[in-house]
Amino acid sequence: ILTENGCRWKRKRDKILTPLARYFLFPFIDGFVAITPAARKFLEANGAKDVRVIGNPINVKLFYPQKRIGERENVVLFVGRLHPIKGITFLLLAMKELTHEIPDIRLLIVGGGPLEPIVRKLSKKYDFIHYLGPKPGEELPKYYNTAKVFVLPSIHEPFGTVLAEAMACGTPVVGSNIEGILHVIGDAGILVAPRDYKAIKKAVKKIIKDEDLAETLSRKGRKRVEKLFSYEAVAEKYEILFHDILTEAA
């Protein structure tokens, strides 16, 4: 079985490796799995047949709602690699403007990466930015349950596991309308154009100001993850795939 996490057509390595895989690897593959419809499209464009979409699994027993949205403070959370491709610059611009309209709003940032020195410097300059550094996976539910909104403003994102983790914790999400994020969020969050900090600002403000919307997104997010990305849901899809492969081979 070959699993595709999401290639980018413009990367040099994909332009070189994809034709090699298509002609020398694909003929020996019994089953193709793509973690998103975008990844399936990439595989099908390169000759793969009967591609199943099976997302990355989330431990919904570890990631679960511990506190209702109405009980949380006005905290916006980002979890991920501190790299330009994650779009954190646009989130910072949005947050800077939001502080004028929602004085008690705060931004928690979890993760490490090449932009860490800049984020550290900004956290010392602005009171609304709190940089927490990298955290182990088992600690993340605590931060997801602190936030009223989770934002992933990536420019490119094959899937967006942190989005699914946040949704499993009942945290409303805002994400770029691209590739994997589109599939993970579905109708259980707010999608914005990539690189559009004004749209991020508007979406975050809408969730914070509209309690009914926040509660609705909280419930819908949890249900979507349970249905599509829980260990049980993903395992069932793989069981069906293996059964079909073995039945055809028999």
Side-chain angles (χ1 to χ4, degrees):
I1 292 178
L2 183 145
T3 300
E4 171 56 58
N5 290 336
C7 290
R8 299 171 66 190
W9 287 106
K10 295 181 180 179
R11 290 193 305 193
K12 289 183 178 179
R13 78 178 188 193
D14 289 331
K15 288 183 178 181
I16 296 172
L17 294 178
T18 300
L20 292 175
R22 177 175 182 174
Y23 294 108
F24 298 104
L25 178 61
F26 283 14
F28 302 98
I29 300 299
D30 294 310
F32 292 90
V33 172
I35 61 172
T36 66
R40 177 176 61 188
K41 185 177 180 180
F42 183 91
L43 282 173
E44 291 176 341
N46 283 282
K49 304 294 183 182
D50 190 26
V51 181
R52 315 287 180 96
V53 176
I54 304 177
N56 290 336
I58 302 299
N59 185 350
V60 295
K61 294 181 180 179
L62 174 63
F63 297 94
Y64 67 94
Q66 300 173 17
K67 185 185 294 186
R68 292 182 62 254
I69 289 299
E71 300 172 343
R72 305 182 192 184
E73 297 179 2
N74 291 331
V75 172
V76 178
L77 176 66
F78 172 89
V79 177
R81 187 163 180 250
L82 302 183
H83 187 282
I85 205 166
K86 295 296 183 179
I88 190 171
T89 303
F90 306 102
L91 174 57
L92 290 168
L93 289 171
M95 288 296 301
K96 188 176 181 181
E97 291 197 0
L98 279 167
T99 58
H100 299 298
E101 302 177 30
I102 308 175
D104 65 339
I105 198 169
R106 291 181 292 142
L107 172 63
L108 301 186
I109 300 174
V110 176
L115 294 181
E116 183 175 336
I118 296 175
V119 172
R120 284 188 181 277
K121 189 174 182 179
L122 290 173
S123 67
K124 293 178 181 178
K125 182 177 181 181
Y126 297 104
D127 292 338
F128 70 88
I129 300 175
H130 299 264
Y131 177 54
L132 306 177
K135 298 293 180 182
E138 59 269 20
E139 290 186 18
L140 292 181
K142 174 176 65 176
Y143 300 106
Y144 289 128
N145 276 280
T146 298
K148 190 168 284 186
V149 186
F150 178 84
V151 182
L152 186 63
S154 301
I155 298 168
H156 167 67
E157 194 68 58
F159 186 77
T161 299
V162 290
L163 278 169
E165 291 173 349
M167 291 162 65
C169 291
T171 305
V173 296
V174 175
S176 301
N177 189 6
I178 57 169
E179 304 145 346
I181 291 179
L182 173 63
H183 175 60
V184 173
I185 290 181
D187 65 349
I190 298 180
L191 294 163
V192 298
R195 299 184 177 90
D196 189 344
Y197 77 91
K198 292 285 187 181
I200 296 172
K201 170 192 169 184
K202 182 179 178 181
V204 170
K205 182 179 178 180
K206 187 175 183 179
I207 292 173
I208 289 178
K209 293 294 186 179
D210 190 336
E211 293 185 5
D212 291 337
L213 173 63
E215 289 287 354
T216 297
L217 294 179
S218 175
R219 292 192 299 271
K220 291 178 73 173
R222 173 68 186 184
K223 289 181 180 178
R224 183 172 177 82
V225 173
E226 288 178 332
K227 180 180 179 181
L228 297 178
F229 309 123
S230 66
Y231 282 170
E232 293 78 9
V234 171
E236 182 178 354
K237 291 178 181 179
Y238 271 105
E239 285 180 0
I240 294 172
L241 173 59
F242 281 117
H243 175 269
D244 291 345
I245 291 173
L246 293 173
T247 299
E248 291 177 4

